[in-house]
């Protein structure tokens, strides 16, 4: 009788333990599904959901979920720029989305800052040297705290910065979704003239003269001298334009990054950029980005006026000798950049 009583009591304890375990599991399952259905999310005014993380706020949160209720004029301006890109991509879907899927090789211009969860797509001839300097300071890979202490040639050493194509596909997708992405653009023809002046009128750029200059002279200059064919160091702007609009040029190989279109370098119709800075408002846009990254109090974008920078007046002069036919064809090459980033057709063009 005593043994039977002990057995009953043992069974009761087992039943209670099973009941408690089941009840606890039930609560965990309920909590799990509740958390899946109702994550901690703040709704931002632009229709993008960003989950809030513990600790410091990410640049993406600062941009889309500002602490102050009213949006600043700067935030509104960048929303207008984003909308312009979206509308242009939608209106020109056939030409702007020639490929539906990007490959890792398409992402080699996207510099990643893990520390501040930012991705910067660099565009040559749009202050990219200074922005690479800033990214070196931000990523902590360099030995500098002041961007201007970094030599220009060191800013362009690929191993000093990590680009998005160096990650695995899941890591790429995570960063494209979670990091703040930005780029800087410039009036397309002013950028083009800047690239020409830098690469074809400076005697020290012998590598460009050899690779591109000799090819341009051979194709575009009648009765070229043997010296010009050998050196390629006296390319005229008219010859450079003729080379760019020649259909054979891009059949052979893509444009060099210094005169490649922004939409081909950064793929804004495939990648949603949160901020689009402009060369014309470089200082304000750059410092706004640094403010969102939480470093604006101690890191400012370098500001110094280059006396040799290409201006609108210079660009006008360079286009004086370009024929109407070549102007029209060149505009077609860079048309999406003009439309996407809201640059009007230059007044010096003779387009009908």
């Amino acid at each position: 009788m005593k043994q039977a009583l002990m057995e009953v009591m043992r069974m009761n304890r087992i039943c209670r333990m099973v009941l408690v375990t089941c009840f606890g599991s039930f609560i965990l399952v309920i909590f799990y599904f509740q958390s899946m259905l109702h994550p901690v999310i703040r709704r931002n005014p632009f229709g993008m959901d960003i989950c809030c993380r513990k600790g410091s706020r990410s640049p993406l949160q600062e941009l889309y979920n500002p602490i102050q209720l009213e949006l600043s004029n700067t935030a509104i301006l960048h929303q207008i720029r984003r909308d312009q890109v979206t509308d242009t991509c939608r209106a020109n879907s056939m030409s702007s989305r020639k490929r539906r899927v990007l490959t890792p090789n398409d992402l080699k211009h996207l510099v990643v800052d893990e520390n501040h969860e930012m991705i910067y797509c660099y565009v040559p001839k749009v202050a990219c040297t200074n922005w690479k300097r800033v990214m070196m300071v931000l990523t902590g890979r360099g030995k500098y705290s002041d961007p201007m202490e970094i030599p220009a040639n060191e800013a362009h050493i690929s191993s000093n910065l990590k680009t998005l194509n160096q990650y695995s596909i899941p890591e790429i997708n995570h960063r494209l979704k979670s990091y703040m992405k930005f780029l800087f653009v410039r009036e397309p023809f002013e950028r083009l003239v800047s690239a020409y002046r830098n690469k074809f009128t400076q005697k020290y750029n012998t590598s460009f003269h050899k690779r591109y200059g000799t090819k341009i002279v051979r194709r575009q200059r009648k009765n070229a001298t043997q010296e010009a064919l050998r050196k390629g160091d006296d390319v005229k702007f008219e010859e450079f334009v003729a080379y760019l609009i020649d259909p054979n040029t891009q059949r052979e190989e893509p444009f060099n990054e210094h005169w490649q279109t922004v939409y081909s370098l950064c793929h804004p119709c495939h990648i949603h950029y949160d901020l689009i800075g402009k060369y014309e408002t470089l200082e304000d846009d750059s410092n706004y980005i640094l403010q969102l990254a939480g470093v604006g109090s101690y890191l400012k974008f370098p500001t110094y006026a280059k006396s040799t920078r290409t201006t609108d007046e210079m660009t006008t002069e360079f286009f004086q000798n370009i024929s109407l036919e070549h102007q029209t064809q060149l505009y077609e090459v860079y048309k999406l950049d003009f439309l996407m980033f809201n640059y009007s057709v230059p007044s010096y063009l003779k387009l009908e």
Side-chain angles (χ1 to χ4, degrees):
M1 184 69 180
K2 185 176 180 181
Q3 186 176 359
L5 183 61
M6 291 290 290
E7 184 66 23
V8 170
M9 291 175 66
R10 189 172 70 84
M11 291 298 295
N12 284 339
R13 281 198 301 270
I14 292 173
C15 288
R16 284 198 301 270
M17 289 174 64
V18 171
L19 181 62
V20 169
T21 302
C22 291
F23 183 68
S25 299
F26 178 74
I27 291 175
L28 287 174
V29 169
I30 292 293
F31 178 78
Y32 171 78
F33 279 106
Q34 282 183 336
S35 64
M36 290 293 289
L37 292 171
H38 304 287
V40 181
I41 291 177
R42 287 185 183 173
R43 178 74 61 178
N44 75 77
F46 303 135
M48 174 187 267
D49 290 335
I50 302 171
C51 292
C52 303
R53 64 177 186 175
K54 292 181 180 178
S56 60
R57 289 160 56 82
S58 72
L60 214 54
Q61 289 172 319
E62 292 291 347
L63 175 64
Y64 290 112
N65 297 300
I67 295 175
Q68 69 273 19
L69 294 178
E70 279 192 33
L71 291 177
S72 66
N73 291 334
T74 306
I76 294 171
L77 171 64
H78 284 281
Q79 177 60 36
I80 292 171
R81 291 177 181 176
R82 284 192 295 273
D83 290 343
Q84 178 71 23
V85 170
T86 301
D87 293 344
T88 304
C89 291
R90 188 180 296 119
N92 298 272
S93 58
M94 291 300 292
S95 54
S96 64
R97 288 178 178 265
K98 291 179 181 178
R99 288 178 302 158
R100 291 186 175 275
V101 180
L102 297 178
T103 66
N105 190 53
D106 295 316
L107 307 175
K108 60 187 178 182
H109 273 248
L110 278 72
V111 177
V112 180
D113 174 8
E114 296 280 1
N115 298 340
H116 303 90
E117 299 186 359
M118 299 195 301
I119 296 175
Y120 160 57
C121 184
Y122 72 88
V123 178
K125 310 312 300 177
V126 193
C128 77
T129 301
N130 278 349
W131 255 110
K132 285 183 177 181
R133 285 167 163 154
V134 170
M135 294 297 281
M136 284 176 67
V137 173
L138 289 174
T139 56
R141 287 174 172 261
K143 56 186 178 181
Y144 303 99
S145 58
D146 178 1
M148 293 312 294
E149 290 179 0
I150 302 173
N153 64 318
E154 192 168 329
H156 294 292
I157 297 174
S158 58
S159 59
N160 283 334
L161 291 165
K162 193 167 184 179
T163 49
L164 195 59
N165 62 313
Q166 296 173 259
Y167 293 83
S168 68
I169 298 299
E171 290 172 332
I172 288 171
N173 288 330
H174 167 70
R175 281 156 183 77
L176 285 175
K177 181 179 179 181
S178 305
Y179 286 17
M180 185 179 78
K181 300 164 293 296
F182 67 96
L183 75 160
F184 276 79
V185 299
R186 184 178 186 177
E187 201 278 341
F189 284 171
E190 186 179 300
R191 174 176 169 247
L192 188 65
V193 170
S194 178
Y196 166 77
R197 292 180 66 223
N198 179 244
K199 301 306 176 187
F200 295 108
T201 68
Q202 303 296 325
K203 294 300 180 184
Y204 59 80
N205 267 321
T206 54
S207 61
F208 270 83
H209 302 159
K210 288 287 186 183
R211 180 170 181 182
Y212 297 103
T214 54
K215 186 186 298 184
I216 293 171
V217 170
R218 187 172 66 252
R219 284 189 185 175
Q220 307 300 334
R221 187 179 302 178
K222 294 179 180 179
N223 304 318
T225 65
Q226 288 301 310
E227 183 180 13
L229 289 168
R230 187 178 74 256
K231 290 186 175 180
D233 61 353
D234 63 344
V235 172
K236 298 179 177 64
F237 185 66
E238 297 91 319
E239 295 170 334
F240 179 53
V241 170
Y243 163 77
L244 294 175
I245 62 178
D246 183 349
N248 292 319
T249 299
Q250 290 202 71
R251 287 198 195 111
E252 288 183 354
E253 62 178 344
F255 278 174
N256 178 273
E257 63 177 9
H258 290 85
W259 49 84
Q260 181 61 281
T261 59
V262 176
Y263 79 81
S264 295
L265 289 176
C266 297
H267 313 285
C269 289
H270 295 80
I271 297 171
H272 172 79
Y273 285 93
D274 305 289
L275 288 169
I276 298 159
K278 290 197 170 187
Y279 192 74
E280 297 78 13
T281 52
L282 176 63
E283 185 177 351
D284 289 343
D285 292 341
S286 297
N287 288 325
Y288 178 57
I289 291 168
L290 295 176
Q291 174 192 329
L292 292 171
V295 299
S297 60
Y298 59 87
L299 180 60
K300 300 296 181 185
F301 190 79
T303 57
Y304 69 99
K306 288 177 66 176
S307 58
T308 58
R309 74 174 289 270
T310 301
T311 62
D312 182 59
E313 291 75 18
M314 284 185 192
T315 306
T316 301
E317 290 179 19
F318 273 93
F319 272 84
Q320 290 304 307
N321 296 324
I322 306 300
S323 68
L324 171 60
E325 180 184 4
H326 282 188
Q327 284 186 10
T328 303
Q329 290 175 296
L330 189 67
Y331 178 77
E332 286 301 314
V333 173
Y334 292 92
K335 182 178 178 179
L336 276 181
D337 279 4
F338 275 100
L339 297 174
M340 201 168 288
F341 307 116
N342 202 27
Y343 287 107
S344 57
V345 177
S347 59
Y348 54 79
L349 290 190
K350 310 182 198 82
L351 303 183
E352 296 179 354

